[in-house]
Amino acid sequence: ATHEGHVVSAQELTEFLQPVFTQNSRNLVLFLQDRLSIDDFTYFSESYGNKNPFQNQVNKLFINLLQEILQSSPSSLVLPAVDCKATKYLLSILQESGDWKLINVTNLNVSQLEVNASNPNLLVVQLQPLASGLKDTSTLEAIAENDKIIGRVTMDLQERGIRFSVIYTAMRPSRISRRTDGVTELRRQLMAAEEEDSSSYPPLNVTTGNYTCILFYASNFSLKANNSVLIDLTNATFVTQNVDISASECTDSNTTLSLKYTNPVNGISSLEIRFLMTNKFYEGSARRWSTLDSVEIVQDGEKFATFTVSAMSAPAEYSFHCQLVGTSNLYPARLVPSNDEAKNWDVFISKLQIQGFNIINNQFSYASDCTGFFTPGIWMGLVTSIILLWILTYGIHMIMQLTTNNRFDDPKGPALSVPQTE
């Protein structure tokens, strides 16, 4: 038993999972999501009534157990949680715990799963990501779709008579509760720890020889084909690194980051994404600049989509960072389709940081951000200041136009007569 609010460490998690490693079935299914918290189960199951996204047997059992615990609690309840660093290395812990046969389930057509029940199997199912900044309705739809995937996989294994255990977890929490009854210094330390945990994986690096020539990082790296098929490449690129980067090239003047994926989703056998960067000397600034010139998407070796990139450049010694990069007109760094095939793709990259030249100690250099000097806040301040200054100038001008009378009425003399012509 653990006390309320206890954070389970990686060592404790390994001890908790020992019964799974030693049971007779030795079949384990790991459902891995990008963000998830215990609060999501109660929030979405109670707040939306008939639209409860949790319908499969696994989630229903957990919700029923959770509701029994909440009802039996005499007051507010804070349940234990698993440390982000523990879930970060969960897949490695599972692989080291036994002689598992690793099966990455990227094609969601579960009927094609080949599972040999006589040997221990570890099935890793990458679920649809819950992109940050979405409204509750969109998050509800994504969770409902993940619930269906969990139901299809578990039902298929049950129909085959395969005994298995299930782990449903995520790389980081979706809801972070901060205690308000501590001193300010302690609260600041907790917030700093949360920010540190939010970066749950290192950047992808491409090496030539003994040195790193490309660094690439994104908190969310997703594509959408034909406005319908969502392809999330975040976990495959940075967590499991189930990506082929052997076609990447590095020179002093040109760099190409090539990311090749096999069966990323149902219906696409291969997908390659290329980031083409150049390093040139510009006489106007008297220095070298690195620019991301274009992005290419090759589907199944035939369909070729090209995008030109706007506003993505940095001094050659720096890395480039941008909060949002993609095909939307609202993003500060936009990918503009260059051919008809590119119009069939939507690209979404959040918290992008990339560097293709002058990498020192395998780390990103100082980042040049895509945000311009005149941000919307600065523009609003300037416009407001100009309006107030114009009002002040107009008022001073009107005051300066006021004149006084040149003749005054004397009570001791005759009445002052002012002709109408004056």
Side-chain angles (χ1 to χ4, degrees):
T2 57
H3 60 81
E4 64 175 16
H6 176 71
V7 179
V8 179
S9 64
Q11 182 178 358
E12 292 174 320
L13 181 62
T14 305
E15 296 176 357
F16 289 152
L17 295 177
Q18 283 301 321
V20 178
F21 304 151
T22 56
Q23 64 182 359
N24 294 329
S25 65
R26 298 295 302 278
N27 292 307
L28 181 62
V29 184
L30 174 62
F31 294 102
L32 193 59
Q33 199 166 280
D34 63 333
R35 298 185 295 115
L36 183 68
S37 293
I38 296 178
D39 296 342
D40 293 335
F41 291 92
T42 55
Y43 176 78
F44 288 105
S45 62
E46 296 177 357
S47 300
Y48 289 88
N50 297 330
K51 295 183 179 181
N52 185 351
F54 303 107
Q55 298 296 329
N56 75 77
Q57 184 179 3
V58 176
N59 285 333
K60 280 186 175 180
L61 289 174
F62 176 74
I63 292 175
N64 293 335
L65 177 62
L66 189 61
Q67 289 177 346
E68 291 178 3
I69 296 175
L70 291 174
Q71 292 174 359
S72 61
S73 177
S75 61
S76 61
L77 181 65
V78 181
L79 295 175
V82 181
D83 188 5
C84 294
K85 295 180 180 178
T87 57
K88 175 182 178 181
Y89 301 106
L90 177 60
L91 185 57
S92 300
I93 293 173
L94 295 177
Q95 289 177 304
E96 295 172 359
S97 64
D99 187 18
W100 302 93
K101 179 184 178 182
L102 181 63
I103 303 176
N104 287 305
V105 183
T106 54
N107 189 339
L108 299 181
N109 188 3
V110 297
S111 61
Q112 298 179 358
L113 284 177
E114 297 181 0
V115 180
N116 186 1
S118 61
N119 298 322
N121 298 283
L122 174 59
L123 284 74
V124 181
V125 182
Q126 302 286 348
L127 298 177
Q128 178 177 339
L130 310 181
S132 59
L134 293 180
K135 297 182 180 179
D136 284 346
T137 54
S138 300
T139 305
L140 184 72
E141 295 174 356
I143 292 179
E145 182 63 28
N146 291 340
D147 183 82
K148 294 178 182 177
I149 295 172
I150 295 175
R152 289 202 300 267
V153 174
T154 54
M155 287 298 295
D156 180 77
L157 295 177
Q158 287 177 350
E159 291 174 356
R160 300 185 192 184
I162 301 175
R163 298 181 60 187
F164 60 93
S165 300
V166 173
I167 297 178
Y168 181 20
T169 187
M171 300 305 300
R172 59 184 183 273
S174 60
R175 303 169 187 268
I176 300 176
S177 59
R178 299 187 176 96
R179 297 181 62 92
T180 58
D181 55 349
V183 295
T184 304
E185 181 179 0
L186 177 60
R187 182 164 61 249
R188 288 177 178 174
Q189 292 175 356
L190 289 174
M191 293 176 65
E194 292 163 1
E195 291 176 358
E196 181 181 356
D197 289 341
S198 64
S199 179
S200 55
Y201 44 77
L204 178 71
N205 64 80
V206 178
T207 59
T208 56
N210 296 325
Y211 69 94
T212 301
C213 63
I214 303 176
L215 286 174
F216 175 64
Y217 175 85
S219 64
N220 193 338
F221 183 26
S222 304
L223 307 176
K224 183 177 285 188
N226 299 318
N227 295 322
S228 58
V229 181
L230 178 64
I231 308 173
D232 179 66
L233 304 173
T234 310
N235 291 330
T237 306
F238 304 103
V239 182
T240 62
Q241 294 192 356
N242 188 20
V243 57
D244 182 11
I245 58 175
S246 59
S248 301
E249 299 178 354
C250 299
T251 65
D252 293 337
S253 57
N254 294 280
T255 294
T256 300
L257 173 62
S258 175
L259 306 174
K260 293 182 179 180
Y261 306 89
T262 303
N263 296 324
V265 292
N266 187 20
I268 299 179
S269 60
S270 66
L271 186 67
E272 182 181 5
I273 304 174
R274 303 171 188 158
F275 295 84
L276 284 73
M277 295 172 283
T278 59
N279 182 9
K280 296 181 181 179
F281 180 83
Y282 292 87
E283 297 181 356
S285 58
R287 68 179 307 167
R288 302 185 72 89
W289 288 76
S290 62
T291 58
L292 178 59
D293 296 327
S294 61
V295 175
E296 300 173 350
I297 300 177
V298 183
Q299 177 186 343
D300 299 329
E302 299 177 353
K303 299 180 180 179
F304 190 86
T306 305
F307 301 85
T308 58
V309 185
S310 62
M312 292 190 67
S313 62
E317 299 82 7
Y318 293 174
S319 63
F320 179 84
H321 174 269
C322 196
Q323 191 72 13
L324 292 174
V325 177
T327 51
S328 173
N329 294 328
L330 303 177
Y331 296 164
R334 187 174 175 232
L335 305 182
V336 182
S338 298
N339 57 4
D340 293 336
E341 185 63 31
K343 297 178 182 179
N344 299 326
W345 291 91
D346 292 324
V347 183
F348 173 77
I349 309 176
S350 63
K351 296 183 180 179
L352 167 73
Q353 188 167 2
I354 189 171
Q355 185 173 356
F357 306 96
N358 302 315
I359 298 175
I360 302 175
N361 297 329
N362 298 330
Q363 295 180 349
F364 280 114
S365 302
Y366 178 84
S368 176
D369 201 273
C370 63
T371 303
F373 179 78
F374 288 97
T375 62
I378 295 177
W379 278 114
M380 290 177 63
L382 287 175
V383 172
T384 304
S385 300
I386 291 174
I387 294 175
L388 293 176
L389 183 61
W390 180 83
I391 295 174
L392 177 62
T393 304
Y394 179 77
I396 294 176
H397 175 74
M398 294 301 294
I399 292 175
M400 294 178 63
Q401 296 300 316
L402 295 177
T403 58
T404 59
N405 296 330
N406 55 4
R407 285 182 288 179
F408 298 92
D409 194 5
D410 186 3
K412 296 181 179 181
L416 182 64
S417 176
V418 180
Q420 293 183 357
T421 58
E422 297 184 10

